Amino acid sequence: YDGKLATSTDGITWTQRTSGFDTTAIYGVAYGNNMFVAVGYNGKLATSTDGITWTQRTSNFGNTDIRGVAYGNNMFVAVGDAGKLATSTDGITWTQRDSSFDYTIYDITYSNNMFVAVGYAGELATSTDGITWTQRDSSFGNYTIYGITHGVVNGSSMFVAGGGSGKLATLS
């Protein structure tokens, strides 16, 4: 909240930076194609090539919150309230896409040649290109999924999602 943004070269010592978000929340940051993209409250979006100097961009989200952003397959994908989703190859010019989500998309990640987006009431969808999305069964029922990430544990690739009422699920 309050537009706070910090950088670190070692993950231990952090330096606060001017984000250009004023006093509004930053909900997500992604890096790809030599560009950082930060997204947040009320459709705010900014880019930086060094993580220090940030430039505000037009997001095509209007006044709708952008909840998350990921980079993969040579594309940024930003997600947010009201099922909004947009893609960009450079982080600067954004194209609105159909997401197949009915409500808020809270988070997105990319790994294993696949974007995975999660949201309100257990919605989960996958895409290989960030443009065409397929709804999947999340096993969350009507509980909102707030976060998703990917990792490799003991040689096994796994997506992990977390949500309302302490729900947690994995997808291999």
Side-chain angles (χ1 to χ4, degrees):
Y1 290 98
D2 294 331
K4 303 275 188 219
L5 188 138
T7 60
S8 174
T9 57
D10 61 10
I12 298 168
T13 305
W14 292 84
T15 303
Q16 188 167 333
R17 306 293 182 186
T18 302
S19 68
F21 278 71
D22 303 316
T23 59
T24 61
I26 299 170
Y27 293 130
V29 181
Y31 180 80
N33 196 22
N34 299 310
M35 178 83 66
F36 290 98
V37 174
V39 298
Y41 178 78
N42 211 19
K44 291 224 177 192
L45 187 144
T47 62
S48 174
T49 56
D50 60 9
I52 299 167
T53 304
W54 292 83
T55 303
Q56 289 296 303
R57 306 291 182 187
T58 302
S59 70
N60 293 339
F61 274 72
N63 293 330
T64 303
D65 291 357
I66 308 172
R67 300 290 181 160
V69 62
Y71 181 83
N73 196 21
N74 299 310
M75 183 176 304
F76 288 98
V77 179
V79 297
D81 289 359
K84 287 196 173 186
L85 185 145
T87 61
S88 174
T89 56
D90 61 7
I92 298 168
T93 304
W94 291 83
T95 303
Q96 207 70 42
R97 306 287 184 183
D98 290 329
S99 71
S100 78
F101 278 75
D102 294 323
Y103 303 103
T104 298
I105 309 170
Y106 281 102
D107 202 10
I108 185 169
T109 194
Y110 180 86
S111 189
N112 292 347
N113 299 313
M114 184 168 53
F115 289 98
V116 180
V118 295
Y120 181 79
E123 287 190 294
L124 184 146
T126 61
S127 174
T128 56
D129 62 7
I131 298 168
T132 304
W133 291 83
T134 303
Q135 283 289 327
R136 306 288 183 189
D137 178 22
S138 70
S139 76
F140 273 73
N142 284 326
Y143 291 101
T144 296
I145 308 171
Y146 291 107
I148 182 109
T149 193
H150 180 269
V152 177
V153 180
N154 296 325
S156 295
S157 176
M158 182 183 310
F159 289 93
V160 177
S165 295
K167 296 268 187 194
L168 187 68
T170 61
L171 170 68
S172 300

